[in-house]
Amino acid sequence: MEAASTTETRTATPPAKKGITDRAKAERKLAWMLCAPAVIAMLLVTGWPILYALYLSFQRFDLRFPDQKEFVGLSNYSDVLTSSTWWSDVWTTLIITVVSVSIELVLGMLIALVMHRAIFGRGPVRAAILIPYGIITVVAAFAWKYAFDPTSGFVAGLPLISDTAQPLNTKAGSLLVIILAEVWKTTPFMALLLLAGLALVPDELHEAAKVDGASTLQRFFRITIPLMKPAILVALLFRTLDAFRIFDNIYIIQPGGALGTESVSILGYNVTINRVNVGLGSAVSILIFICVILIAIFFVKALGTSTAQQRGEEA
Amino acid sequence: MLSACGSSEGGGGARSINWYVFNEPGGSYDAAVADCNKQAGGKYHINYVKLPTDANQQRELIVRRLAAKDDSIDLIGMDVIWTAELAQAGWIEPWEGERKAVAEKDKLSGPLKTVQYKGKTWAIPFTSNTQLLWYRKDKVDKPPADFTWDEMIDDAVSKNTAVEVQARQYEGLTVWINSLIAGAGGQIVDQNADVKVDDSAKKAAEIESKLANSKAAPPGMSTNAEDQARQGFESGRSDYQVNYPFVYPSAAMVGKDFQKNMGWARFPRTEKDRPSRPPLGGINIGVSHYSKKRDLAFDAAECLAQPKHQAIAAEKGGLPPTTQSVYDTPTVKKAYPFADVLRASIEAAAPRPVTPAYSDISLAIQKTFSPPDGVDPSNIVSKLRDRMDKAAEGKIF
Amino acid sequence: MSERHTPRERAFWSIGILVVLLYALIPVAWMLSLSLKKPEQVADRKFYSGISFKNYEVIFSDDTFLRALVNSIGIAAIATIISIGLAAMAAYATSRLDFTGKTVILSGALAVAMFPPISIVGSLFELWRTIGLYDTWLGLIIPYMTFTLPLAIYTLSAFFREIPWELEQAAQVDGATPFQAFRKIIVPLAAPGVFTAAILVFIFAWNDFIFANTLTSTDNARTVPAALAFFTGASQFEQPIGAISAAAVVVTVPIIIMVLIFQRRIVAGLTAGAVKG
C-alpha cells in the first residue's frame, strides 16, 4: 500500500528531483520526530537494563558481599548451562508452553467459531470471554489455587477426587492446575486473534464448496484453516512467547516452583531476588532472553514461508 | 523525594524511628509501639511499618532495601534465621558494652543463640516460638516422655488417624528437617558456618519417608503449611499434630470441648535415648547500619523488647517470651497452660543453621527433601551434600 | 440471513454459549463465594455457605488496600495516557508516512513486547534505586508505558490505516482550516481506535505483578497485585483466604462492568491488531 501511495506522490508532483527529495526528507524528518519519544522510551527502559544485565552476567556479584564483586567471564553461563536444574526447568517450561498453547489453539478456535457463527447471543459471549482477559492474573491465580486447595477447595469436595489424590500434591497435578490457570486466562486473547482471521475467510468459498457437496468438517479443514494460516501463526507466536515467560501463575499456585514446577522465570526470580546473586541471576535472565528470541525466529520464519507460500499460490 | 510525600509509613522526621516488621494480627506489636512512644515522651517516635505476611517475602524486601543502602530503615524485626546473613553483610549494628548486657539479660538460651554470630551480639531477642506435639486426649494415649517419631507414626497407623506436619516445599520443611536432624545429634553446618552434612540427614529422611508413605500421612502432606495442619487437626482427621502454640486459642473456636480434649507434649524424639530438639522461631530486633539515628534506634529497640511487652505479645499474639522471668507472670501463665513445656522446649530448641548463606542452604534442603513421598533415604546424604556445596558456593542447584 | 433456525440448532448454540459462560465465570463465582464465607466456613469446600460481609470489612479496615487501589488506578491511568500519546504519534508515522527505518522500529517494538520481564527487573531495581525512582509512581509508570507501547502502536496503526485521510484534504478544499478538518473529521474517526487501545493498555498495566512486586516497598506506590501479599489472617500462620477473596472481588467487579460496557470496542481493537499481519 505504501508503495502505491509513494508512486502517486511521484506522479502527482511534477519532476524536478530536488523537490521530491526535499518533500521525502521532510516527511522522513517528521516521521522520526513523531516516533522518537516512543523509540527513546523503549530503548531506555528495555535496552539499558538488558545491557546492564549482560554486564552483570559476566561478574561474580552477590548483593550480600558487594566487595567481592569480580569479573569472571563466562563462568556464570557455564555454571547455568551445566546444571541439571536449568535444563529441567527449561523442559518444564517447554511442557507448560506447548501444552497450554495447544489447548488454547483448539479452545480458542472453538470459541472463535461460536463468536463468529452463533445465531444469537454473541453479545453475552463476547462479554463473558473478556472477563478472564480483564481479571488481574494473580487474582485469577488465587482463585484457582483456592479452588484446588486440598483442605478448603471445592474441587477437593468433588466426588471424583479422593483425599489422597489431590492435584496440588503432585508435580503432574500441579502442572495441570498451572496450565489450567494459564489457559483460562489467555484463551480469550487467542480466540479474538483467531476471530479476526475467521472474518477474513470469504463466505463465497464456503457457499461454493457447499454446492459442490463438501461437508462441514471438510470445509473447515480444507478452506477455513488454510486461509487462516497467517492469523493462526501470529496468534501462536504471541501466545508462545507469552507462555514461555510464565511467572505469575506459578508464583501464586506453587510458590518457589515447588514440587518440580519451577519455570525458567521462577528460577531467575529465585536466584536474582531471593538469593540476591545478581551475577548468576543475570546470566539466567540473558539465557531466557535468548530462548525467547529463538522461539520468535522460529515462528517468524514459519510465518514468512507461509505468507510466501500463500502469495505463490495466489500468483 | 517523591516517596516521602504524604506517606502513612516511614516518615522522615528527625525523631521518627521506622520499625520494619511483620503485621502481628493480634495487635500486640501495635500496643508495644504505642506504649514506647508514650514512654519516650517525644525523644523518639516509632513508626510501625508493616512487611508482607510471608516470611520469605519479608526477607526479600528487607535484603533488597539494605543492599540498596536505604536509610529509611531504622529497626528491623528480624526472623531468627536472618542474623548471620545481615551481620556478615554489615547491614546491622552489633550490640556492645552496656547494650549487649541489656540484650542478653535473663534470656532463654535458645533465643540468645539466635542473636549471636562470630562472637558478637547482633540484635535483642523479642518474641520466640517453638512447636509442641498436640494430641487428642480422647482418642490417643498420653505420650511417654521419650516418645519418638517412629512410635507416633506407628500408633497413628494403628488407630487409623493421621499426623499433621508441615512438609510443603518451603521454610517450614527446613524447620522440621532441621529438628529431626538435630534430634539425632547431627548438624548441617558447623561452628564456622561450613557445610557439614552427616548421616543424621538419613535418619531425618527415613522419618519423613515413613510418614509420607504410611496410612498416617495426611492428605495434602506435600502442600501443608502450619494453617492447613491446624485445620486437619481441628477437622478430626488427624489426632496428632506438631505445630506452634497458635493452634491452642484457635481450638477454642471449634466449639464443644474441643480445646478441653487437646493435650500437649514436647516435640517427639528422633532417637529413643536422645532428647528432642524442638524447632525455634521468633523475632529479634536489630538496628540497621544505614540508619541515621542509631542511638535512638537502640533505645527504641530496648524499650520494645521489654518484658512487659513480651507478656502482651504472649497474651494477644500467642508469641512466647524470650525473657525467662516473663514465664512466671500471671498473664503468661493464663495464656499458656502449657507454659512449662513451652519454656523447656525453647530452652532445648535447635536453631537452624547459622550461616550467612542461610537462604541458599534452606532452599537446598527444601529441594532435597521434597516431595515427601519421593525421598530416598539411601542417597539423601550425598544429594544433600552436593546441593549444599553448590548453594554455599553461589551456584545453581 | 433469513434462514429459520431449527430447534436443534438453537439448542446446540445455547449449550455452546452456556459452556462459554460457565468457563468464564466459575473462578469468579468461587472467589465471590469464598469472600462471603465466615472464617470457620472457609474449609467447608462448598460454594454457598450463607452470606457474611466480614471479609469486606476487614480489607477496608486499614489503609493498605485502599491505597493500593488508588495506586493501581492512578498508575495505570497515567501510564495509559502517556503510552497512547507516544504510540499515536508513532502509529501515525508508521501508517501514514514513508521513511526508512519503519521496519526497524516496528520490529524493535515487537522485540520489546517479547522481553521476559524477569530479565530486567533486577537491573531496573538497581537503576531506579540510583536515580531515586524506587518505590514511586513514576518508577512503575515508566516500565508499564514502555511495555504497552508495542501493543498500542500495532493497534493504533491498524486503526489509522482504515481512516480515509483524503477526507481531511477534501474538507480543507471545502474551506475548513487544517485544524478544523482534523478536529471534525479525523478525530471522530480515530477516536474509537484510540479508545480501544487505551482500554487494552490500561488492562495490561492493571494486571502487572512482577514489576509492582520488585520496584515498590511501601504503600507509596504498591499496586493491588503486590498488596495482596500484605493481607493477614487471624494469626501469623493463617492464610488470609477470606481477605484475598474479598479484595479479588472488589478489584474484579469494575473490570467486569467495564468489559460489559465496552465489549464491542475491545473486541474490535484486539481483532484489528491481529489483522495487521
Side-chain angles (χ1 to χ4, degrees), chain B residues 53-308:
Chain B
T53 315
D54 177 76
N56 238 345
Q57 295 183 8
Q58 289 167 25
R59 182 192 147 268
E60 280 171 17
L61 195 151
I62 289 289
V63 164
R64 196 154 63 224
R65 292 184 76 169
L66 289 174
K69 302 192 179 29
D70 191 333
D71 62 5
S72 69
I73 302 182
D74 299 298
L75 289 178
I76 310 169
M78 297 166 45
D79 197 326
V80 290
I81 44 179
W82 300 352
T83 309
E85 184 180 6
L86 300 192
Q88 181 72 38
W91 291 334
I92 49 177
E93 287 296 293
W95 290 58
E96 293 170 324
E98 275 222 9
R99 300 209 187 266
K100 178 165 180 253
V102 170
E104 298 182 346
K105 178 164 165 215
D106 197 27
K107 295 286 192 309
L108 289 167
S109 68
L112 194 53
K113 285 205 202 91
T114 68
V115 296
Q116 290 165 338
Y117 176 66
K118 290 215 167 142
K120 290 196 182 166
T121 301
W122 296 92
I124 182 169
F126 182 25
T127 54
S128 183
N129 223 337
T130 187
Q131 290 193 354
L132 299 180
L133 170 63
W134 308 89
Y135 63 95
R136 290 287 295 271
K137 287 202 277 209
D138 53 339
K139 295 273 190 71
V140 299
D141 306 316
K142 180 171 154 113
D146 55 356
F147 204 41
T148 64
W149 277 92
D150 286 319
E151 290 170 350
M152 180 169 66
I153 298 172
D154 292 335
D155 189 53
V157 170
S158 73
K159 299 210 164 68
N160 242 331
T161 181
V163 178
E164 295 285 353
V165 294
Q166 293 91 50
R168 185 165 91 192
Q169 187 175 328
Y170 80 128
E171 180 65 23
L173 177 59
T174 307
V175 167
W176 183 34
I177 298 295
N178 181 63
S179 280
L180 288 179
I181 290 182
Q187 62 179 0
I188 299 174
V189 300
D190 65 16
Q191 296 95 321
N192 301 322
D194 292 322
V195 170
K196 267 260 164 10
V197 174
D198 55 32
D199 286 330
S200 53
K202 181 164 174 215
K203 185 72 194 149
E206 283 168 359
I207 293 177
E208 183 189 17
S209 174
K210 175 172 175 168
L211 178 59
N213 292 307
S214 74
K215 288 218 165 78
M221 180 172 170
S222 50
T223 48
N224 280 355
E226 294 84 0
D227 208 47
Q228 285 89 343
R230 170 189 69 86
Q231 286 170 345
F233 185 80
E234 286 179 6
S235 71
R237 185 176 65 204
S238 316
D239 295 331
Y240 287 108
Q241 73 166 327
V242 284
N243 219 330
Y244 298 95
F246 82 101
V247 299
Y248 186 70
S250 166
M253 309 224 241
V254 180
K256 257 204 162 219
D257 300 333
F258 187 84
Q259 195 186 49
K260 288 212 185 83
N261 282 325
M262 227 168 127
W264 51 79
R266 180 154 153 172
F267 196 80
R269 300 183 175 199
T270 310
E271 288 175 359
K272 189 83 181 158
D273 45 8
R274 204 191 285 269
S276 65
R277 304 290 307 280
L280 185 63
I283 294 285
N284 304 320
I285 306 182
V287 174
S288 161
H289 175 72
Y290 300 107
S291 163
K292 296 221 162 83
K293 312 144 203 169
R294 280 189 232 158
D295 283 326
L296 284 181
F298 274 110
D299 291 338
E302 284 179 18
C303 171
L304 286 169
Q306 275 174 38
K308 74 168 164 174

Side-chain angles (χ1 to χ4, degrees), chain C residues 40-51:
Chain C
E40 56 274 13
Q41 293 169 328
V42 158
D44 65 10
R45 299 179 175 177
K46 291 200 272 231
F47 251 98
Y48 181 74
S49 314
I51 299 192

